Amino acid sequence: MNPNPTIPLDQLVDKVMAELERKLASIASPATATATATAPIVPVTAATAEPVPSVFEGEPSSHVPDPKWEEGMQELLSSTPARIGVWRTGTRPLTKEILKFRCDHAAAIDSVYGTVDQALLDAFSLFSVDTKYGNTENYLKRPDMGRIVTDEGVELIRSRCKMKPQVQVVVSDGLSANAVDANMRDVYPALMDSLQSYGLSAGTPFFVRGGRVAVMDHIGEILQPEVLVLLIGERPGLVSSQSMSAYMCFRPRRGTVESDRTVISNIHRGGTPPVEAGAYIGTVLKKMLEQQTSGVNLDI
C-alpha cells in the first residue's frame, strides 16, 4: 500500500515537465535558424536576440481517444488554434492542458506588463516618447490617457521629426510589448522597402510608450502627415501573445472616428506573416494617398 498518495501525482507532473522541456528543445532549434536567416535584412545586435517561443507552440492535436468523427475532428483542428479536443482525466482536465493554460496565461500577463527591448529600438533608430499613461495599472484603467502624448514628448517630436511627411510611421507597445519584440524585425524592413518601391517618402519614425490606437490623432495634429501608420501590440489572448496590428489613417486629426481607420490585424507567425504584412501595409498606404481617404471609404 502506498503510504503517501501524493507521490504518484508528483511523479506524473515531473514526467509532464520533462516532456515539455524536450518540446522546448525541439522548438528552439528552428527558431534559431529563422533568426539567422532574417539577420541580413536588418542588422540587430546580440542584445536583441530572438524572443523564445512558447513551450507549447506547434501543431494543435487532439487527446480524444477514438473520436466518433475523426475526419471532423481533424478539420476543426486544422481550421483554428483554439483549444479543441483537450479531453480529461476523470472529472478534471489533463495535467498537461492545465500547465499549458497556465503557461499561456503567464505569457499574456508578461506581454502586458513587459517592456520593449531598448536594443531593438536602437537598432531601428527609434527615439521614444511617452503618453500620459503614467504606469501600466493606470494605462489599463484609463485608456484616454494613452491617447495623449506628454508635453515633453510633443516638444521632442517637433524638434526631431520631419513636418508634414507623406508617410509617418509610429511604433507602440500598446497591450503587448512582446508583439513588438517578435515582429518588428520582419514588419518594419518590409514596410520601408514597400514604400521605397512605390516611390513614397517617409517621415522620422519613433516609438510611443503606453500608446493607444487613438494616439494617432494627437500625432496627426502635431506632424500633419498625409497618412500615418501605427504598428502596435494587440491585447494578448491564450493562443498568441505576439499579435501586432497596423492601424492606418489618412490625415488623422482630433475627432477622427474609428470607421476612418484601416487595420491589418493578427500579424504574427501563426497569423498574417510579418514580412507579408509589411509589404501589404505599403500597398494600402499607396491606395490611401491615391484615393485621398481611408477606413470604410477606401476601395481596396
Side-chain angles (χ1 to χ4, degrees), residues 127 151-163 218 221-223:
F127 70 90
D151 294 340
E152 295 80 5
V154 172
E155 291 303 316
L156 191 59
I157 291 172
R158 284 176 173 160
S159 65
R160 298 188 60 171
C161 291
K162 174 184 176 182
M163 295 295 294
H218 192 193
E221 292 278 349
I222 300 168
L223 294 177

Side-chain angles (χ1 to χ4, degrees), residues 16-28 52-59 96 99-100 103-104 107 239 242:
V16 171
M17 295 306 297
E19 180 184 351
L20 297 179
E21 290 177 357
R22 285 196 295 272
K23 283 190 174 182
L24 176 61
S26 64
I27 292 172
V52 177
S54 167
V55 174
F56 304 101
E57 287 183 354
E59 294 296 327
K96 178 179 180 179
L99 294 174
K100 181 180 183 301
C103 183
D104 290 343
V239 172
Q242 300 180 345

Side-chain angles (χ1 to χ4, degrees), residues 64-88:
V64 178
D66 301 324
K68 291 183 178 180
W69 188 23
E70 178 68 29
E71 183 181 349
M73 176 65 75
Q74 293 304 321
E75 183 178 347
L76 287 173
L77 290 170
S78 63
S79 64
T80 175
R83 288 174 166 80
I84 295 176
V86 296
W87 199 234
R88 57 186 166 77

Side-chain angles (χ1 to χ4, degrees), residues 217 220 224-228 249-254 256 292 294:
D217 304 342
Q224 300 179 24
E226 284 294 294
V227 292
L228 189 151
C249 189
F250 179 75
R251 293 177 183 172
R253 297 290 188 274
R254 198 164 296 175
T256 295
Q292 300 283 287
S294 58

Side-chain angles (χ1 to χ4, degrees), residues 85-198:
V86 296
W87 199 234
R88 57 186 166 77
T89 176
T91 57
R92 67 173 181 80
L94 300 175
T95 302
K96 178 179 180 179
E97 292 300 327
I98 293 177
L99 294 174
K100 181 180 183 301
F101 179 87
R102 289 181 176 177
C103 183
D104 290 343
H105 186 249
I109 294 175
D110 287 346
S111 297
V112 173
Y113 286 90
T115 58
V116 174
D117 189 346
Q118 183 59 46
L120 177 65
L121 302 179
D122 293 340
F124 290 106
S125 301
L126 301 178
F127 70 90
S128 299
V129 298
D130 290 272
T131 66
K132 294 187 176 182
Y133 76 109
N135 55 62
T136 304
E137 294 298 334
N138 197 46
Y139 175 83
L140 297 174
K141 297 174 183 175
R142 292 286 306 273
D144 56 312
M145 304 304 286
R147 300 168 187 157
I148 308 170
V149 180
T150 61
D151 294 340
E152 295 80 5
V154 172
E155 291 303 316
L156 191 59
I157 291 172
R158 284 176 173 160
S159 65
R160 298 188 60 171
C161 291
K162 174 184 176 182
M163 295 295 294
K164 297 184 178 180
Q166 193 173 27
V167 179
Q168 177 64 49
V169 179
V170 180
V171 182
S172 180
D173 47 5
L175 282 163
S176 177
N178 193 20
V180 177
D181 285 342
N183 299 297
M184 265 292 286
R185 294 178 186 81
D186 295 328
V187 173
Y188 189 83
L191 169 60
M192 300 312 290
D193 286 346
S194 179
L195 296 179
Q196 187 176 15
S197 66
Y198 285 124

